Amino acid sequence: MIASTKHQAVLTAINDNKELEGALLPILHQIQHDLGHIPSEHVADIAEALNLSRAEVHGVVSFYHTFTTKPHGQHVIEVCRAESCQAKGGREIEAAVKEALGVDYEQTTDDGQITLEPVYCLGNCACSPSIKIDSQIYGRLTTQSVEDLIQSLRSEQH
Amino acid sequence: MTTTIYIPRDSAAISVGADFVANKLAQLDEVEIIRNGSRGLFWLEPMVEVQTDQGRIAYGPVTADQIDGLIEAGMLEGKQDHALCLGKTDDIPYLAKQQRLTFERAGLIDPVSLEDYTAHEGYQGLQRALGMTGQACVDEVKASGLRGRGGAAFPTGIKWQTVLDAPGEKKYIVCNADEGDSGTFADRLQMEADPFGLIEGMTIAGITVGADKGYIYLREEYPHAHQILNEAIANAEQHNWLGDNIQNSGKHFHLEVRLGAKSYICGEETALLESLEGKRGVVRAKPPLPALEGLFGKPTIVNNVLSLSSIPGIFAKGAAHYADFGMGRSRGTMPFQLAGNLKQPGLVELAFGVTLRELLEDFGGGSASGRPLRAVQVGGPLGPYMPESQWDTQMDYEALIQIGGMLGHGGLVAFDDSVDMAEQARFSMEFCAEESCGKCTPCRVGAVRGVETIDKIRANDERAQNTELLKNLCNTMEKGSLCAMGGMTPFPVMSALNHFGEDFEK
C-alpha cells in the first residue's frame, strides 16, 4: 500500500471518531482493521488530533495486544492457550499449529500469509479446544482437524 | 404448512458448524428458520429445534450432512425416531433441572426481535421502574439481595445507592462485558441469546440514578456478540426503548458498545474505565470509588453483564421472587459455567447452594476423556484448583471463601488425571506476567520470578529452598498488589502446591 493511502486511512479514522468520548481506542481499532497495523510514522497525526503527546499514543498502542506496529499476514490464526482448552488437549493443538506453520507466536510465515498469535480465552470453553482464524472461531478441534483447517487456508491462497 | 425451525446464531454453536446446518436447512421448501440464541447445552450444539403442536422437539448435535437423514426420519413433523432426537427441549433433564431466571429467555427467542422479547416479559421491568422514584428502584435492588456477578460479589443495591446519592449532573452506567476469565462464557451467551435483557437492565440503572449515557465495554474476542448487541440497540432505539424521552417518560438513556483490545486486566473495573477513556488499561488505586469518581471522573455504576441482566426480572417479578432463591447471604441464582474436560459442558443456572460435585457429576456427566477427574479450577484463572476432597462444598460466596476458594464469575474448569499441576501453576504465573498492567511491582516482577522459580523446583534445582521462596513470593504478591491480578494469581499456584505437591517433585 502506498504511503499516501496509508496516511489517508489514518486521517479517515481520526475524522470518523474524534468527536467520541475516549476516542483513542476507536481510532486505533479502525486503523488496525483497515491497515493491519498502526503505522508508527502517523502516530503524530493521532496525537495532534486528540491533543495528546506522541508518547501517550505510543503507550496505548504498545499496551494492548490487538494493536501492532508491524503489518500482520493476510490471515491471523489465534490459538487459545487458556485453562479450559488446556484441559482438552490445547497444548497439543498449540504444538500442531506451530509445527504446521513453522513459526512461533507473534511471528508470520515466510510467505507473509499467516500470522500466529496466542489468545487467552475465546469464550468457547464449552467447546474446547478452540482457535480463531480471522473472524471465525472453530471449536472441538483435534490436531488432525487443525491441520486440515490450515491446509485449506493455504490452498485457497494458491 | 410452514414449519418453524430454530438453529442458534450463538458463536459456540457456529464454531461447531451451526451455520452449515442453517444453510442446509434454508434450502428446504416451506421452512422458516429462526436463528435463536443457544440454550446453553453446548455438548448438543449445533442443536436444531422444530416447532410442533406439542412444543419444540430438539435434535443434536447435528451436522449438515445428517440433515437429509433427519428429514427422512420425519424431523420436520417432529417425529422422534432418529438417534439424534432429544425429545422435547423442555424435558431434557439438564435443562429441566435448572432454575432459570437471568437466562429465562436464552434460546427461546430470536435475540434481536423486540416482538419476541416483549412477548416474554421483556420491558415489563422498565415500565414498572419508570413509575418509581430513584430511591424506590434502589430499594428494590437492595431487597433482591443481588450481588455483583462479575466476581467481587459486592451488593449491587449499595453500589447503586452510592451513585444515586453522589452529587453531579453527569453520571454513567458502564457494563463490564470484558469476560476474560477462562472457563466462563455466561456473559457471551447472555449477550448473544438475550441482548435486550442487558439493554433493559442498563436502562433501568440509568433512570434510577439519573445517568443518560451507558457504555458496554465488550471484549474484542466476541465478534458475534458485538454484531448482535448493535442490532439489538438499533432496534431498541427505533422503538424508543433507548434514546430521548423513552416511551414518553421524559427520561433519556443512550447506549454504545465499545471494544476492548485484548487485555485481560481491562476486566478489572478501574482498568476498564481507563481503557474507555482511551488510556492504557492501568489499574487505579481506590479510593476514590468508581461510584463517586468513575468514568471521566463522574459517578459511575460499573456492573457485570449478568448483574445488569438480572435486573429486568427483579423489577418484573418483584425483588422477593428473586431473593427467595439461594442461601445465606447469597441470594438468587448463579449461572455456573461447566467447561474443560467434562462430558456435558454448558450453562447451568441454579440457586446458590448446589455442590460442586453435583455440578460436575449430575450435570457435567464426569470427564469427557473417561479418565477420573482430578482437579477443578473454580472462579477463573485466579481461582484455586480444588481437589476431590473439596467437591462437596456448597457453591455459595461465603462457603467457598471459607475454604480459601472463590466463586468468581461462576466458571468451573475440570481436569482429568492426565493434568500436570506443576505445569498449571507455572501457566498461572506466566499468564500474570503476560497480562499484568505493570503498576504494582509484586505483580509485574513477581510473576516473572514465579515462572523461573517453578522451573527451578521442577528441575530439582535447590528444590526445598525454591519451594520456600515460591511461598514467600506468593505472599508478597497477594499482600502487595492493588488488584486481583497480582493479589490472586497466588491462589491457583498455592492450591496446586498444597493439594498436588507430588506433581512438583517429578
Side-chain angles (χ1 to χ4, degrees):
Chain A
M1 188 174 281
I2 54 168
S4 60
T5 320
K6 222 194 241 184
H7 194 196
Q8 194 51 53
V10 171
L11 295 178
T12 304
I14 292 171
N15 279 323
D16 288 352
N17 298 290
K18 70 177 177 199
E19 300 305 325
L20 297 174
E21 293 182 314
L24 183 52
L25 259 67
I27 289 172
L28 294 177
H29 269 300
Q30 188 168 326
I31 298 171
Q32 180 75 35
H33 178 265
D34 292 349
L35 298 178
H37 72 299
I38 312 289
S40 304
E41 65 270 28
H42 297 308
V43 159
D45 295 297
I46 305 167
E48 195 186 331
L50 300 181
N51 200 20
L52 296 169
S53 70
R54 274 186 294 167
E56 283 170 306
V57 176
H58 173 74
V60 170
V61 171
S62 61
F63 182 86
Y64 295 96
H65 297 306
T66 297
F67 307 129
T68 54
T69 49
K70 273 189 257 166
H72 55 57
Q74 199 179 333
H75 300 285
V76 179
I77 298 184
E78 295 167 86
V79 180
C80 179
R81 294 196 64 210
E83 286 87 346
S84 180
C85 287
Q86 290 169 357
K88 292 271 284 173
R91 289 189 177 92
E92 286 76 32
I93 301 288
E94 285 184 71
V97 173
K98 288 179 185 177
E99 169 80 26
L101 296 177
V103 297
D104 206 338
Y105 288 125
E106 317 287 359
Q107 292 178 355
T108 301
T109 52
D110 288 339
D111 57 7
Q113 292 295 322
I114 303 173
T115 300
L116 179 61
E117 288 181 3
V119 66
Y120 296 94
C121 198
L122 293 162
N124 202 34
C125 316
C127 298
S128 292
S130 302
I131 69 168
K132 190 166 162 227
I133 301 179
D134 300 326
S135 60
Q136 179 62 50
I137 298 168
Y138 298 87
R140 282 185 212 144
L141 295 170
T142 60
T143 48
Q144 185 59 52
S145 61
V146 159
E147 282 159 18
D148 293 345
L149 281 171
I150 292 172
Q151 192 63 41
S152 66
L153 192 64
R154 285 207 147 129
S155 56
E156 76 188 44
Q157 287 157 11
H158 297 296
Chain B
M1 195 188 81
T2 304
T3 309
T4 304
I5 304 183
Y6 295 84
I7 172 84
R9 62 183 291 194
D10 171 274
S11 52
I14 292 172
S15 85
V16 290
D19 282 350
F20 298 116
V21 175
N23 290 342
K24 180 85 182 177
L25 290 168
Q27 294 163 9
L28 302 172
D29 294 328
E30 301 196 334
V31 157
E32 184 199 11
I33 293 171
I34 293 178
R35 299 302 299 268
N36 59 338
S38 173
R39 301 273 192 159
L41 315 182
F42 284 113
W43 82 100
L44 298 174
E45 294 289 359
M47 188 170 98
V48 174
E49 293 177 78
V50 177
Q51 185 71 55
T52 71
D53 296 340
Q54 315 117 57
R56 291 192 202 169
I57 308 293
Y59 303 83
V62 176
T63 57
D65 53 20
Q66 290 168 320
I67 296 290
D68 290 337
L70 279 160
I71 300 223
E72 262 173 51
M75 177 178 81
L76 295 181
E77 295 80 49
K79 287 193 184 152
Q80 306 192 18
D81 305 327
H82 197 281
L84 289 177
C85 183
L86 304 162
K88 277 176 71 175
T89 314
D90 291 339
D91 295 342
I92 299 173
Y94 197 93
L95 195 58
K97 284 191 286 181
Q98 296 193 34
Q99 294 158 306
R100 288 210 167 173
L101 300 180
T102 310
F103 284 84
E104 202 176 5
R105 285 177 287 262
L108 266 183
I109 62 170
D110 173 347
V112 296
S113 162
L114 258 176
E115 205 178 16
D116 270 9
Y117 184 66
T118 48
H120 289 82
E121 212 178 69
Y123 280 120
Q124 289 179 17
L126 178 60
Q127 295 273 26
R128 183 169 161 238
L130 283 169
M132 293 160 68
T133 63
Q135 186 58 54
C137 289
V138 168
D139 290 342
E140 191 76 15
V141 178
K142 281 183 186 166
S144 75
L146 178 66
R147 292 164 71 181
R149 297 283 184 258
F154 188 82
T156 306
I158 294 179
K159 193 182 271 187
W160 287 28
Q161 183 76 61
T162 310
V163 178
L164 175 67
D165 293 342
E169 289 282 293
K170 186 76 187 172
K171 297 177 182 177
Y172 290 100
I173 309 298
V174 171
C175 170
N176 184 345
D178 194 55
E179 185 179 48
D181 284 356
S182 166
T184 66
F185 45 80
D187 293 353
R188 182 189 61 69
L189 177 61
Q190 170 67 29
M191 292 185 284
E192 293 180 0
D194 189 20
F196 290 118
L198 172 60
I199 293 167
E200 183 182 350
M202 291 184 74
T203 311
I204 292 172
I207 62 155
T208 296
V209 300
D212 64 358
K213 177 85 192 186
Y215 288 102
I216 299 172
Y217 185 89
L218 177 71
R219 66 199 300 256
E220 193 199 8
E221 291 88 337
Y222 286 178
H224 294 286
H226 189 205
Q227 173 67 29
I228 290 170
L229 282 170
N230 279 338
E231 286 176 35
I233 288 171
N235 279 349
E237 283 170 347
Q238 206 183 346
H239 292 87
N240 193 226
W241 288 107
L242 279 174
D244 290 327
N245 193 19
I246 292 170
Q247 307 296 314
N248 293 319
S249 64
K251 306 274 174 66
H252 319 294
F253 190 69
H254 299 264
L255 191 53
E256 198 182 313
V257 182
R258 284 291 175 89
L259 286 184
K262 283 198 210 149
S263 162
Y264 176 74
I265 197 62
C266 288
E268 195 281 335
E269 63 174 358
T270 62
L272 184 155
L273 294 172
E274 290 285 302
S275 184
L276 263 181
E277 292 182 10
K279 299 173 189 161
R280 291 163 70 90
V282 176
V283 172
R284 295 177 186 171
K286 288 189 272 193
L289 292 172
L292 297 171
E293 289 179 41
L295 188 62
F296 301 108
K298 307 295 181 197
T300 304
I301 289 180
V302 187
N303 277 157
N304 169 257
V305 173
L306 301 181
S307 313
L308 289 162
S309 302
S310 303
I311 294 291
I314 289 171
F315 278 78
K317 296 189 178 79
H321 179 263
Y322 191 80
D324 275 349
F325 294 85
M327 64 181 270
R329 289 177 51 224
S330 303
R331 309 312 311 176
T333 56
M334 184 73 199
F336 300 100
Q337 298 130 76
L338 276 49
N341 201 325
L342 290 174
K343 202 175 291 170
Q344 301 180 157
L347 182 111
V348 179
E349 183 176 356
L350 282 173
F352 289 94
V354 61
T355 67
L356 183 51
R357 194 183 296 278
E358 287 173 283
L359 288 170
L360 295 171
E361 291 173 2
D362 299 353
F363 286 93
S367 77
S369 61
R371 302 170 66 111
L373 289 175
R374 182 162 181 240
V376 185
Q377 190 176 30
V378 179
L382 306 177
Y385 286 97
M386 295 171 64
E388 191 177 354
S389 60
Q390 296 183 329
W391 295 353
D392 293 310
T393 310
Q394 285 185 301
M395 302 298 275
D396 148 79
Y397 291 120
E398 276 69 37
L400 278 162
I401 287 168
Q402 264 181 15
I403 59 158
M406 65 154 189
L407 188 49
H409 190 47
L412 319 178
V413 180
F415 290 78
D416 71 13
D417 65 353
S418 64
V419 67
D420 177 346
M421 293 305 296
E423 181 66 36
Q424 295 309 120
R426 183 188 193 279
F427 176 79
S428 296
M429 285 291 189
E430 191 189 348
F431 179 64
C432 182
E434 183 71 27
E435 297 294 331
S436 172
C437 81
K439 184 161 184 151
C440 310
T441 312
C443 175
R444 183 186 67 244
V445 180
V448 178
R449 295 287 171 261
V451 173
E452 294 166 1
T453 310
I454 292 172
D455 283 344
K456 285 180 189 163
I457 294 169
R458 296 175 80 195
N460 201 12
D461 176 357
E462 299 187 35
R463 181 172 279 156
Q465 292 94 317
N466 277 310
T467 303
E468 207 48 43
L469 184 65
L470 180 64
K471 290 178 186 167
N472 270 326
L473 179 65
C474 281
N475 186 272
T476 305
M477 289 174 72
E478 193 181 329
K479 301 282 189 310
S481 308
L482 272 177
C483 82
M485 180 93 240
M488 291 174 62
T489 291
F491 286 19
V493 175
M494 287 306 298
S495 64
L497 196 59
N498 290 336
H499 300 300
F500 306 95
E502 64 274 20
D503 287 15
F504 291 74
E505 293 171 9
K506 278 181 192 162

